[in-house]
């Protein structure tokens, strides 16, 4: 008997590798995108309330009604639309699952899916395991990862079934403008191509920028599935609760698979999140993270590390380390963790192949004192 590997991604993902190394080396972990600070006390209280009040059995397959209602109201208010309703929102066990299930619903064997590199590491396996053929469009660091619309246009073929996009973008921190959405719309207009839109950092945007969700684009209304995560918005990555928003027809296809993959998502967390949506401060995540981003950038100004474009959203900022080392980015990330006790993620983890760039990603969703100590270490590396 033999087991065929159903994807071509790394057998052990980089976030596991670097967080394990950080633990082993007792290093400051600026690698994996997980906050190390406490969550809102109201949210922990609500979770406790859910369990003690008896919300401990299966939730409905598509998610608790009050949670789907409150998500719809929040999104409709925030974006001044009427698109969202409980029938267009499905609660998922995290966004990675949402992306996987979206592909399970959309693609058939041999269908091509266009995605942009650098790309979050779950995209490629999610496409391949579901029988799709990933078609990468590579964005260049020397060009500040500007979206190359001509390359995207050229990547379209008769077999293209979907385009996968990510805004705010991990790891570059780029936030899509309306012009970006218009460019994509112009390319896929009139074709049977779906858009899977990873928007897990929707509430973490800086410097007055606005996130523009995919489902707002009129041309995409019946072609797009937008994927979200409470993990990022409320600093609760371990709760593994997210949701997706799509037209009723796509939602139906999504749910027909979801009900057999996991059936439903943990009930106490859904109860707590439904109530928390009625009292949370919508600007909190963006404000908190912007201060932390600035702390990282200011702390590293006197260092030989050079920031790429300033992150406009997400938990992340890219840095060029070529003034410090000739090591490739994977070796450098390991060396930095073992020798200097600061863990990062090499940019190559976001590509199918090892990159020549000397770039690593820092996560600034960390306690201020962790950022301060890590940057003071990094300032002294030569
Ligand atoms: N999204 C987070 C990151 O980019 C963590 C993802 C993960 O651990 N799978 O670091």
């Amino acid at each position: 008997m033999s087991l065929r590997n159903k994807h071509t991604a790394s057998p052990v993902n980089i976030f596991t590798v670097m967080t394990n190394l950080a633990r082993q080396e007792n290093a400051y972990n600026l690698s994996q995108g997980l906050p190390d600070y406490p969550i809102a006390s109201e949210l922990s209280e609500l979770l406790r309330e859910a369990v003690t009040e008896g919300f401990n059995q299966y939730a409905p397959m598509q998610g608790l009604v009050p949670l789907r209602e409150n998500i719809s109201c929040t999104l409709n208010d925030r974006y001044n639309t009427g698109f969202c309703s409980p029938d267009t929102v499905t609660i998922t066990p995290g966004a990675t699952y949402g992306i996987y299930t979206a592909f399970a619903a959309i693609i058939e064997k041999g269908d091509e899916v266009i995605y942009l590199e650098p790309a979050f590491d779950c995209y490629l396996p999610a496409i391949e395991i579901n029988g799709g053929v990933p078609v990468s469009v590579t964005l260049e660091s020397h060009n500040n990862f500007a979206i190359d619309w001509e390359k995207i246009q050229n990547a379209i073929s008769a077999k293209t079934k979907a385009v996968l996009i990510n805004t705010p973008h991990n790891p570059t921190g780029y936030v899509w403008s309306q012009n970006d959405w218009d460019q994509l719309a112009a390319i896929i207009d009139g074709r049977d191509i779906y858009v899977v839109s990873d928007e897990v950092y929707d509430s973490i945007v800086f410097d007055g920028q606005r996130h523009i969700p995919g489902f707002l684009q009129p041309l995409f209304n019946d072609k797009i599935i937008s994927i979200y995560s409470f993990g990022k918005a409320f600093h609760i990555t371990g709760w593994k609760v997210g949701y997706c928003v799509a037209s009723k027809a796509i939602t139906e296809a999504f749910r027909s698979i979801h009900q057999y993959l996991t059936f439903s998502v943990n009930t106490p967390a859904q109860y707590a999140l439904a109530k928390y949506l009625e009292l949370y401060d919508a600007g909190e995540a963006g404000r908190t993270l912007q201060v932390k981003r600035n702390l990282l950038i200011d702390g590293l100004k006197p260092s030989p590390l050079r920031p790429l474009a300033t992150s406009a959203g997400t938990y992340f900022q890219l840095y060029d380390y070529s003034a410090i080392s000739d090591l490739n980015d994977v070796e450098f990330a390991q060396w930095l963790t073992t020798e200097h006790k600061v863990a990062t993620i090499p940019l190559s983890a976001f590509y199918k192949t090892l990159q020549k760039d000397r770039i690593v990603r820092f996560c600034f969703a960390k306690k201020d004192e962790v950022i301060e100590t890590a940057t003071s270490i990094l300032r002294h590396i030569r």
Side-chain angles (χ1 to χ4, degrees), residues 145-314:
F145 305 103
I147 300 169
D148 189 331
W149 295 108
E150 203 177 308
K151 266 196 194 171
I152 296 177
Q153 174 82 61
N154 292 339
I156 304 264
S157 82
K159 289 189 178 158
T160 308
K161 190 61 166 288
V163 179
L164 170 55
I165 76 104
N166 171 216
T167 178
H169 186 261
N170 176 9
T172 64
Y174 181 74
V175 175
W176 273 40
S177 64
Q178 184 56 46
N179 180 53
D180 292 322
W181 283 113
D182 292 344
Q183 298 261 17
L184 181 63
I187 290 175
I188 67 167
D189 190 19
R191 301 178 200 257
D192 290 333
I193 296 178
Y194 289 97
V195 180
V196 177
S197 180
D198 172 0
E199 302 175 25
V200 298
Y201 296 99
D202 63 330
S203 54
I204 306 173
V205 285
F206 312 134
D207 309 320
Q209 294 248 6
R210 278 182 66 78
H211 168 71
I212 305 174
F215 63 76
L216 263 198
Q217 311 307 311
L219 251 177
F220 296 157
N221 270 354
D222 57 350
K223 293 181 169 174
I224 195 159
I225 177 156
S226 295
I227 315 274
Y228 299 94
S229 160
F230 285 117
K232 312 296 181 186
F234 297 152
H235 322 289
I236 47 165
T237 59
W239 285 30
K240 293 299 295 178
V241 185
Y243 57 96
C244 59
V245 177
S247 68
K248 286 183 189 153
I250 297 178
T251 295
E252 214 171 279
F254 184 96
R255 287 179 184 174
S256 95
I257 292 177
H258 167 72
Q259 67 183 328
Y260 294 115
L261 275 186
T262 188
F263 182 63
S264 69
V265 176
N266 92 73
T267 311
Q270 291 196 59
Y271 172 96
L273 287 162
K275 294 219 158 180
Y276 190 60
L277 280 177
E278 289 168 11
L279 51 93
Y280 85 112
D281 169 359
E284 183 274 333
R287 282 196 306 273
T288 304
L289 272 302
Q290 182 173 319
V291 170
K292 291 182 181 298
R293 177 204 63 180
N294 293 348
L295 202 58
L296 177 83
I297 292 181
D298 292 344
L300 290 181
K301 260 185 199 143
S303 84
L305 294 159
R306 283 290 132 253
L308 278 83
T310 304
S311 172
T314 72

Side-chain angles (χ1 to χ4, degrees), residues 13 15 31-33 120 170 201 232 316 361:
N13 93 19
F15 304 104
S31 66
Q32 193 173 16
F120 185 57
N170 176 9
Y201 296 99
K232 312 296 181 186
F316 311 112
R361 186 196 81 175

